[in-house]
Amino acid sequence: CGWARVGAIPSEATFSRAFAAFSKAHLAAQMHAVVVKDALGPELVGHLARDSTAIEARETPAPKLAKRPKRKRGRPRKGETVEKAPSRLERQSGGMSLAVPP
């Protein structure tokens, strides 16, 4: 805390008296005022104050989306076709091609 050797550190009682004097003289508040005045001068300091206003929300969860219709397990019957959902890569590629635009 600024002392070069251990023997130079004052006792607890000395610290207590010094801090009592600082408190009585309001030295910390005065120092803070000087630092703020030097740093900011006549500028205004903007700040944001928030309150705890209630935010509207649902009381019950949103209804779930309808699931795909289930089909029977196993191999499809002869002549029956099953539409496969596009894979993730197919969905992402969309209309991309390897052709270079002009």
Side-chain angles (χ1 to χ4, degrees), residues 15 28 49 51 61 69 91 96 100-101:
F15 263 104
D51 63 0
R91 288 191 311 256
M96 288 191 226
V100 179

Side-chain angles (χ1 to χ4, degrees), residues 19-41:
F19 282 118
F22 291 159
S23 177
K24 192 180 275 186
H26 301 287
L27 289 179
Q30 291 172 4
M31 237 171 52
H32 180 261
V34 170
V35 168
V36 169
K37 188 175 181 181
D38 287 346
L40 297 176

Side-chain angles (χ1 to χ4, degrees), residues 27-65:
L27 289 179
Q30 291 172 4
M31 237 171 52
H32 180 261
V34 170
V35 168
V36 169
K37 188 175 181 181
D38 287 346
L40 297 176
E43 293 180 30
L44 289 176
V45 177
H47 67 279
L48 179 63
R50 297 180 187 243
D51 63 0
S52 58
T53 305
I55 298 172
E56 290 185 31
R58 289 190 191 107
E59 290 293 326
T60 58
K64 293 185 178 180
L65 299 175

